[in-house]
Amino acid sequence: MSGQSQFNLAHERQKPPLKIAVLLNSYRSPFIQDIRESYVRSIRNVSPSCTLSFFLPAENAEDFPDPEEFDLIVVGGGNADPRKKHQWILRVHKFILDVVTNHPGKKICGICWGHQTIALLFGGVIVDMDVPELGVTEAKLTPLGKRFFASYPVEEKQGLVRLQQHHRRAVGGNTPPNGFSELLAGNQAFLSHNGSVITFQGHPEKDAHCAKLRVRDALRWYGFDPAEKGAEAEEVLRQVERDMERQHDGAEIWAGVFDWVRGDVKGLEMGMGMTMQQHL
């Protein structure tokens, strides 16, 4: 698979399949089908027997999963500021809090917009970035992150994880949201103290093909007129495309998340007895 690192997934493919619900939180995006297909490619590359169900709460007020029917709920990326008070955003907030409160222990994974939204709900601060992140970038595993991903070849990469990024807002501050610890330094990934919620700023579900569908965001985000055809603008696009084609660790991330869902990740004691409700 182009751009994605390879490692032995035989052990993952022998494990019980998971039922996964994915919330696609983009409003009127022309790329929804492509994003959906990217989830299917990336997850089934790791665990071919997983069942994926997709929900579009930004388009349909009633389109939310029944938490009891799924092993994992993914709160995916989005194309709106999570700080806004649009009704669909507030409905997603309510859904997340309902799962945390009324379905304790249910596994939730936030990605990009989902990462920021969950951080916001638990006291985190969302900031506008001076320089957006686009393409594959590196983040350093914390000691907790190294334990979480101990089964995967992270040490040979000097404790670094590489993921596709596509965001101009980030979780700010020097401390994690209430009830969370960092898995990746710089607010790039969190794990809740009760072990039920994990979040990533990066996109383990995106390959280069999916990432490049929105490569022209780079022009607007870096201050160019999107219609501009000048040499400087074209070089920005070429560089971002090269960054999007770099090798990344999406498969390792998914395999680690699936182990976590099944309860196979050990050595994560960080006040696990504390409920998420205590941090609301």
Side-chain angles (χ1 to χ4, degrees):
M1 185 163 55
S2 176
Q4 185 156 315
S5 62
Q6 300 298 310
F7 72 109
N8 186 358
L9 290 168
H11 71 289
E12 169 63 37
R13 289 171 174 154
Q14 295 167 1
K15 293 181 179 180
L18 299 173
K19 295 182 67 177
I20 302 171
V22 180
L23 274 64
L24 301 176
N25 299 298
S26 293
Y27 182 67
R28 295 184 178 177
S29 169
F31 305 118
I32 282 289
Q33 186 60 32
D34 298 283
I35 295 169
R36 178 177 177 146
E37 290 171 359
S38 189
Y39 270 103
V40 172
R41 286 194 302 271
S42 66
I43 288 176
R44 290 194 173 149
N45 172 63
V46 175
S47 186
S49 57
C50 279
T51 300
L52 285 86
S53 300
F54 293 91
F55 300 85
L56 284 80
E59 303 287 352
N60 182 347
E62 305 301 323
D63 204 17
F64 288 94
D66 177 351
E68 291 304 314
E69 293 184 1
F70 295 93
D71 301 300
L72 173 65
I73 297 169
V74 176
V75 183
N79 57 2
D81 187 334
R83 297 168 293 189
K84 298 293 187 182
K85 302 299 182 184
H86 304 318
Q87 287 302 306
W88 73 264
I89 293 178
L90 296 179
R91 288 194 295 269
V92 174
H93 289 187
K94 182 177 182 298
F95 172 77
I96 294 169
L97 294 176
D98 175 73
V99 174
V100 166
T101 301
N102 298 316
H103 303 270
K106 180 62 63 177
K107 295 298 197 291
I108 301 173
C109 176
I111 294 175
C112 194
W113 188 91
H115 165 82
Q116 296 173 15
T117 296
I118 290 169
L120 188 65
L121 291 174
F122 286 89
V125 177
I126 309 303
V127 298
D128 297 313
M129 302 174 70
D130 293 331
V131 179
E133 282 192 300
L134 289 159
V136 176
T137 67
E138 294 178 341
K140 188 175 181 61
L141 285 159
T142 65
L144 177 64
K146 289 181 180 181
R147 295 199 298 276
F148 189 99
F149 291 106
S151 298
Y152 305 98
V154 293
E155 285 304 328
E156 66 191 43
K157 302 170 187 173
Q158 291 77 50
L160 298 174
V161 168
R162 301 160 300 181
L163 283 177
Q164 292 281 2
Q165 304 276 3
H166 195 112
H167 63 108
R168 53 179 170 163
R169 289 175 285 270
V171 180
N174 297 319
T175 58
N178 298 326
F180 286 81
S181 296
E182 280 188 312
L183 291 177
L184 295 174
N187 295 328
Q188 285 286 326
F190 301 123
L191 178 68
S192 66
H193 290 173
N194 76 339
S196 65
V197 182
I198 193 169
T199 69
F200 299 94
Q201 178 60 72
H203 289 269
E205 85 286 3
K206 277 192 178 183
D207 52 23
H209 169 76
C210 186
K212 287 193 287 187
L213 291 171
R214 290 186 56 188
V215 67
R216 295 192 69 83
D217 284 351
L219 297 183
R220 179 165 47 91
W221 289 6
Y222 290 128
F224 293 93
D225 181 340
E228 191 169 346
K229 297 293 184 181
E232 186 178 1
E234 291 302 319
E235 177 53 32
V236 166
L237 288 178
R238 284 194 294 271
Q239 182 57 56
V240 172
E241 285 192 339
R242 288 192 289 268
D243 290 341
M244 289 174 170
E245 291 166 353
R246 292 177 61 206
Q247 194 174 63
H248 64 85
D249 301 317
E252 286 93 331
I253 293 297
W254 281 128
V257 168
F258 296 161
D259 274 354
W260 165 73
V261 172
R262 297 187 183 102
D264 294 339
V265 179
K266 309 301 181 185
L268 301 178
E269 295 77 12
M270 342 154 247
M272 288 290 195
M274 191 172 292
T275 68
M276 296 298 289
Q277 292 92 317
Q278 290 174 272
H279 295 289
L280 293 175

